[in-house]
C-alpha cells in the first residue's frame, strides 16, 4: 500500500470538508446521506470516515472550523462583525441552514449537545473576553453585565441565522446590525 504524505492527507480532508459543507447546506443534516456526501466530496465512504469517523464528527468538524474563524473575528472586531460576515459571505455559512435541525439535536441528543457546546465555547470565550475589555475601556454600556450583553448578541445571532436559513430577505439587515451595535455601545 502506498504511503500518502501529510500534505496529501490534509488536502483530502479539506476537500471532504468543502464538499460536506455544500451537501449539508443543500440537503440538511439528515438529508446529507452517506451517498450524497460521497457525491459532494468526490470521496468514498471509507475515505470520508477515515478522516472523520462518522457523519456527526464530520458535521462537528465544520462547526469547529466555523467557531474558530468566528472567534478570531469576534476577538478582534466583535460579534456584530461575525454577523456582518455571515451576511456578506453567505457561501461560508450556507451549511448553517441546518440550524433548525441542530436546534432539535441540541434539545434531544445530550452527546451531540456536549460536543457542539465544546466547539461553540471557543466563540463564546472570545466574545466574553472582548466585551469585558470594552467595558473596561468605557466603550460598552455598563447598566447591564457583559454576560447580559453576550446573551443579547448571541440571541440576535441565532435569529439572524434562522432568518437567513429560512430564506428571509436580507434587505435592511445591514442597518439592523448597525442598530444592534448601537444598543450595546456606551452612550456618554
Amino acid at each position: 500500500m502506498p504511503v500518502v504524505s501529510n500534505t496529501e492527507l490534509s488536502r483530502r480532508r479539506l476537500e471532504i470538508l468543502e464538499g460536506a459543507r455544500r451537501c449539508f447546506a443543500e440537503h440538511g443534516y439528515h438529508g446529507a446521506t452517506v451517498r450524497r456526501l460521497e457525491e459532494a466530496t468526490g470521496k468514498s465512504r471509507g475515505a470520508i470516515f477515515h478522516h472523520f469517523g462518522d457523519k456527526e464528527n464530520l458535521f462537528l468538524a465544520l462547526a469547529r472550523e466555523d467557531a474558530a474563524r468566528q472567534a478570531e473575528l469576534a476577538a478582534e472586531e466583535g460579534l456584530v462583525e461575525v454577523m456582518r460576515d455571515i451576511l456578506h459571505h453567505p457561501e461560508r455559512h450556507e451549511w448553517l441552514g441546518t440550524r433548525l435541525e441542530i436546534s432539535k439535536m441540541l434539545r434531544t441528543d445530550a452527546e451531540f449537545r456536549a460536543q457542539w457546546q465544546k466547539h461553540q465555547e471557543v466563540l463564546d470565550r472570545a466574545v466574553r473576553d472582548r466585551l469585558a475589555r470594552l467595558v473596561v475601556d468605557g466603550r460598552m454600556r455598563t447598566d447591564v453585565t457583559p454576560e447580559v450583553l453576550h446573551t443579547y448578541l448571541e440571541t440576535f445571532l441565532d435569529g439572524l441565522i434562522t432568518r437567513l436559513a429560512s430564506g428571509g430577505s436580507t434587505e435592511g439587515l445591514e442597518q439592523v446590525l448597525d442598530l444592534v451595535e448601537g444598543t450595546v455601545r456606551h452612550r456618554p
Side-chain angles (χ1 to χ4, degrees):
M1 178 174 243
V3 176
V4 179
S5 72
N6 287 337
T7 302
E8 179 63 18
L9 287 173
S10 293
R11 185 186 64 73
R12 290 178 187 176
R13 187 176 194 284
L14 182 61
E15 288 173 350
I16 292 168
L17 285 170
E18 289 171 357
R21 184 181 303 277
R22 289 188 308 273
C23 189
F24 286 124
E26 184 176 346
H27 301 288
Y29 180 83
H30 295 294
T33 62
V34 173
R35 177 178 288 135
R36 285 179 172 157
L37 286 167
E38 287 175 317
E39 291 169 5
T41 64
K43 305 288 186 232
S44 70
R45 150 188 334 239
I48 295 168
F49 294 140
H50 167 77
H51 288 279
F52 296 99
D54 58 26
K55 183 170 95 169
E56 183 175 299
N57 281 317
L58 174 58
F59 188 80
L60 289 167
L62 290 171
R64 180 174 47 253
E65 189 177 87
D66 280 8
R69 184 178 57 248
Q70 291 172 354
E72 185 177 320
L73 183 57
E76 292 178 22
E77 299 183 38
L79 192 56
V80 172
E81 287 307 312
V82 169
M83 292 183 233
R84 289 184 203 284
D85 187 63
I86 291 170
L87 184 61
H88 296 157
H89 300 286
E91 72 282 357
R92 294 181 194 162
H93 307 280
E94 286 176 329
W95 76 281
L96 287 174
T98 62
R99 191 63 173 204
L100 298 177
E101 291 173 285
I102 292 169
S103 295
K104 180 181 178 193
M105 292 169 66
L106 291 173
R107 233 180 25 259
T108 60
D109 184 335
E111 187 175 321
F112 180 84
R113 181 174 49 251
Q115 290 297 316
W116 180 265
Q117 288 172 337
K118 183 171 68 173
H119 300 309
Q120 292 303 294
E121 178 56 30
V122 172
L123 176 58
D124 291 343
R125 186 174 32 256
V127 172
R128 284 192 304 268
D129 290 350
R130 179 173 169 79
L131 288 171
R133 282 192 318 270
L134 293 175
V135 166
V136 168
D137 291 348
R139 295 173 50 205
M140 297 302 283
R141 58 190 299 171
T142 56
D143 58 327
V144 293
T145 66
E147 290 78 19
V148 169
L149 293 174
H150 179 227
T151 300
Y152 169 70
L153 291 170
E154 187 177 66
T155 301
F156 190 85
L157 173 61
D158 287 343
L160 176 68
I161 291 169
T162 300
R163 179 184 183 95
L164 295 175
S166 65
S169 170
T170 60
E171 187 175 328
L173 284 180
E174 189 66 43
Q175 291 173 314
V176 171
L177 290 175
D178 290 342
L179 182 64
V180 169
E181 190 168 36
T183 63
V184 297
R185 296 285 181 201
H186 173 70
R187 294 185 197 111

